[in-house]
Amino acid sequence: MKELLSIENLYVNFRTLWGLVKVLNGVNLKIYEGEVFGLVGETGCGKSVTAMSILRLLPSNAEISGKIIFKGKDLLKKSEEEMRKIRGKEISIIFQDPMTSLNPLFKIKEQMIDIITTHNKIDTEEAYKKAKELLREVGLPDVDRILNSYPHELSGGMRQRVMIAMALSSNPSLLIADEPTTALDVTIQKQILDLILNLKEELGFSVLLITHDLGVVAESCDRVGVMYAGNIVEIADTEELFENPLHPYTQGLLSVIPDPRYKKHLKPLRGQVPSLISPPRGCRFNPRCEFVRDSCKLKKPALVEYKESHFVACHLYGGNPDD
Amino acid sequence: MRKKEFIKILFRNKLSVVGLMIILILLFIAIFAPLLAPYPEQAKGEPNLKERLQPPSSKHFFGTDHLGRDILSRVIYGSRTSLLIGFSVVLLAILIGLPLGLIAGYYGGKIDLIIMRITDIFLAFPPLLLALLIATTLGRGLINAILALSISWWPWYTRLVRGMAISIKERPYVEAAKGMGISEWKIIFRHVLPNSISPLIIQATMDIGSAILEAAALSFLGLGVQPPTPDWGLMVSEGKEYFLNYPWYPVFPGLAIFITVMAFNLLGDALREIMDPRLRRKFL
Amino acid sequence: MIKVEHLKKYFPITKGFIRKKTLYLKAVDDVSFIINDGETFALVGESGSGKSTTGRTILRLYEPTDGKVFFNDIEITALSEEELKKIKPKMQMIYQDPYSSLNPRMTVFDIIAEPLKEYNYKNIEDRVLELLESVGLSEEHASKYPDELSGGQCQRVAIARALALEPEFLVLDEPTSALDVSVQAQVLNLLEKIQKEKKLTYLFISHDLGLVRYLSNRVGVMYLGKIVELGTIEQVFDNPLHPYTRMLLQSIPVPDPKQKSKRRRIVIKGEIPSPLNPPAGCPFHTRCPYAQEICKRKEPLLIEVKEGHLVRCHFAGEI
């Protein structure tokens, strides 16, 4: 498998009135060509910030350091001009609420043609044809009517399909999907996830799927990274992660999701997600961990390959070389 | 938002600090006017015909007016009139506008329709014109000027509070209170009112400045405060005839109006930024 | 404890500039069920199914358009405002968004004390502390404002407030859907614990079938304002008879990657029609893989297929 994107030691801090918020604390991950990589974690763990860092769309009060290598080049070293050519062309993104990413004042037609002509050297007429084609590809019926609609005239599922069509209009090699189905009903959620996976197989792009739902991960991802309070704590193939979770946090997460197939005993994690202004020293999970040891409170565990292609950042598994 | 954060943000914005400082100084001047004014008797109106229309000097920092009175002393005393007008106009307008807005917004239906049509009638007139009409009807004088301005002012507050009340009454905590059988007036005063009030405070702060300005306009047109009461608007009005030869006469009270109105606007702007989470980002 | 008979709630929608057309949004359309003492009855469905409106109409937060609701044999729908006030403490509600269900300008203490004061309880201070402890909070939280608490803590405060008046029946409207999974489990366990301790009866409203399976004894599946299937959890989840229930169960992601390829083959058809303009006949026929001619013309009745297992489908038991 060929490496498409590699994030190395990514640190992101936000300067705020209340102090420096240490949002990302040295994130490392790789995404290979043609795979679906799931990034899972709870609110505020930094998964969306990771996505926005890749696109360099962080707010102006952010400090960023590390490397984001995309197709062999560091995105953090690119000029704003060069980034603009990468955004939407090589890397596309879709968000949770398509209503906020579509302009309510313009018809779908106008917005799609605008995007298509920005990234391809074609005229409006051809762009309209291409828009129709794209909408058919994402499984929308009656494409002429949809092209002549305003965003609010479409259902949530249809809007998300339009967003996907727009995101794919320039054949990107990476699609970032940030909670793409969270705002949708379950039956529509399955349709959208299936659509993304089918298109991926057809067109061969990679997907970075950001979600809080381990069910969604199990359904759609090849590999998965678990994030907690700004760190990646575990990365593994999806099946391996569900069968052999190593990190106590991953184990905890798996034991709190209810299963519709049977009544499962839920064993909640204790405590709360820590404040990122003054995060716990050492391993940021240590106040909630049942296996906590002294070393956990002193040193941040590094992400190490514990088994073949199964990475974990935890002192229980020799997370620190000099342990 | 807690008090600590509020103060922290307030002091981050330098202009809001300037506004606040000016207002505090004005209040200080108004309270201690008899001690600060070099010629308190002249400020209250006693003529001093020997020293008519003197230019600014070490004896009279701002010069003297057409009756020889010390302009500095009159500007100092004028702050009392202006602040009195500013605060009482806004207060009276809130006293009328706030309960009507709460009732209209919370209950909706017919009562809302009636209250809103009444405000429409008031809002159909340009505010100063309406105040002029009312002041003409009521007759001249300080109290009538205050009444005229508040009567033309309250519909704005009714609208503002109504809009807030409509959105607040849909919040789950209001529904929860209803579900617990909490009585209606307690819901209005404990849940709806405190959560509807921030935009009103912002608006009221800025309006104190505008009320002072409009009161000055009324005085300028002869409908407001009557001589010999020290009032900035009245002083500008009286001084305008002497402007070409004795510019200090209208300029100093004019400057006082300008600075006061600006100070209240700065503070109001700052409050709006603090209370609006979208604008609050700017402080980061 | 609760008996709902032919409950209807229509919202009038006026359309057009000159206010000509009045459409009715049939949010709840002829819903009947009972909730037994001490059990958890779940209403499950997608957005626009009318599950939340049903819950609110039972508590008379909305006035029903038609139908009756009984609480311990008292017909709540026939009570006057004063009589209702005596019943209200017995029936409370927990809301979805913990932050917006608490007044941001009141401290935790005042929030919990408010209902106690309204009903002239004595020793309010002690009771508030007791309530805080019963939901896993402590005295130090009493002086805080909601925005100083986490989502999970806010939801605990909301639960304490609901428990203040010693209710017998709680409507839980998506009580954990705004919370993170690790916190969700804490709140669910708390709800289970207080149900046992205080012998409460729950109406649990949710779109999450996993949670429904976890918390409930019986369940009603709603689609466009109607109950399409009703039964015990085992009946509905293990032997779903209505095609919509099956579709729901097939749609929800299963946390088991081994099922991935098998589940990829399942295709989910169509979108939920607008509740303003529901399809004629069986409301589900536009998405139903088994739809026949009769489904487009005639609306099926809710019939009992097995004891306690009701289905609204022309072909119940045949497909």
Side-chain angles (χ1 to χ4, degrees), chain C residues 235-249:
Chain C
Q235 283 170 337
V236 174
F237 276 64
D238 298 338
N239 186 22
L241 294 176
H242 197 283
Y244 177 62
T245 315
R246 289 187 193 168
M247 183 189 263
L248 266 185
L249 284 165

Side-chain angles (χ1 to χ4, degrees), chain A residues 154-195:
Chain A
L154 306 177
S155 71
M158 287 166 141
R159 283 197 289 262
Q160 197 57 292
R161 283 176 197 265
V162 170
M163 284 311 297
I164 293 171
M166 284 164 77
L168 299 181
S169 64
S170 56
N171 283 321
S173 22
L174 177 64
L175 174 71
I176 301 176
D178 190 352
E179 305 264 11
T181 59
T182 308
L184 304 173
D185 278 313
V186 269
T187 54
I188 311 301
Q189 158 165 301
K190 168 134 174 78
Q191 292 173 352
I192 296 291
L193 283 179
D194 286 347
L195 173 70

Side-chain angles (χ1 to χ4, degrees), chain A residues 57-285:
Chain A
L57 287 174
L58 293 174
S60 57
N61 60 334
E63 296 166 351
I64 182 165
S65 71
K67 279 183 186 159
I68 300 176
I69 316 280
F70 177 73
K71 291 186 172 170
K73 292 201 179 86
D74 190 350
L75 293 183
L76 296 184
K77 294 211 173 81
K78 299 245 178 212
S79 69
E80 186 50 36
E81 187 60 33
E82 287 170 311
M83 267 321 283
R84 224 176 333 222
K85 280 182 192 143
I86 288 170
R87 275 181 222 137
K89 176 124 181 96
E90 303 235 27
I91 306 175
S92 288
I93 186 161
I94 52 175
F95 296 99
Q96 174 174 343
D97 183 3
M99 199 61 205
T100 54
S101 6
L102 287 167
N103 187 331
L105 298 179
F106 292 98
K107 288 180 178 171
I108 300 296
K109 176 169 74 179
E110 289 154 354
Q111 309 195 38
M112 285 197 75
I113 290 174
D114 196 27
I115 293 270
I116 293 168
T117 48
T118 314
H119 294 298
N120 304 280
K121 284 198 179 80
I122 50 175
D123 61 25
T124 317
E125 214 166 295
E126 270 178 89
Y128 186 80
K129 268 189 211 149
K130 171 123 201 215
K132 272 168 88 167
E133 205 177 291
L134 283 164
L135 289 185
R136 276 196 205 103
E137 219 170 315
V138 295
L140 282 169
D142 208 356
V143 290
D144 280 305
R145 187 183 64 81
I146 287 173
L147 281 168
N148 281 299
S149 309
Y150 288 94
H152 70 92
E153 295 173 306
L154 306 177
S155 71
M158 287 166 141
R159 283 197 289 262
Q160 197 57 292
R161 283 176 197 265
V162 170
M163 284 311 297
I164 293 171
M166 284 164 77
L168 299 181
S169 64
S170 56
N171 283 321
S173 22
L174 177 64
L175 174 71
I176 301 176
D178 190 352
E179 305 264 11
T181 59
T182 308
L184 304 173
D185 278 313
V186 269
T187 54
I188 311 301
Q189 158 165 301
K190 168 134 174 78
Q191 292 173 352
I192 296 291
L193 283 179
D194 286 347
L195 173 70
I196 295 176
L197 295 183
N198 291 339
L199 288 169
K200 182 220 99 176
E201 263 148 43
E202 206 177 298
L203 304 170
F205 53 84
S206 306
V207 181
L208 170 59
L209 179 70
I210 292 168
T211 179
H212 67 280
D213 188 337
L214 279 165
V216 169
V217 170
E219 297 262 290
S220 44
C221 300
D222 302 311
R223 289 193 312 131
V224 51
V226 181
M227 279 193 87
Y228 182 78
N231 290 310
I232 297 250
V233 295
E234 188 161 1
I235 297 181
D237 289 347
T238 309
E239 268 191 49
E240 164 74 9
L241 188 98
F242 277 76
E243 238 166 71
N244 278 318
L246 294 176
H247 198 282
Y249 177 63
T250 315
Q251 292 169 357
L253 268 190
L254 286 168
S255 71
V256 291
I257 39 167
D259 196 308
R261 294 169 299 174
Y262 54 93
K263 173 156 181 162
K264 173 174 147 183
H265 176 70
L266 303 185
K267 190 169 151 263
L269 286 153
R270 59 179 182 186
Q272 315 273 345
V273 176
S275 141
L276 294 181
I277 293 177
S278 50
R281 260 184 62 131
C283 172
R284 286 184 176 184
F285 186 61

Side-chain angles (χ1 to χ4, degrees), chain C residues 7 28 31 33 43 50-59 222:
Chain C
L7 190 70
V28 181
V31 163
F33 57 85
L43 280 179
K51 51 190 194 304
S52 274
T53 312
T54 307
R56 284 176 162 78
T57 315
I58 290 173
L59 296 184
M222 288 190 76

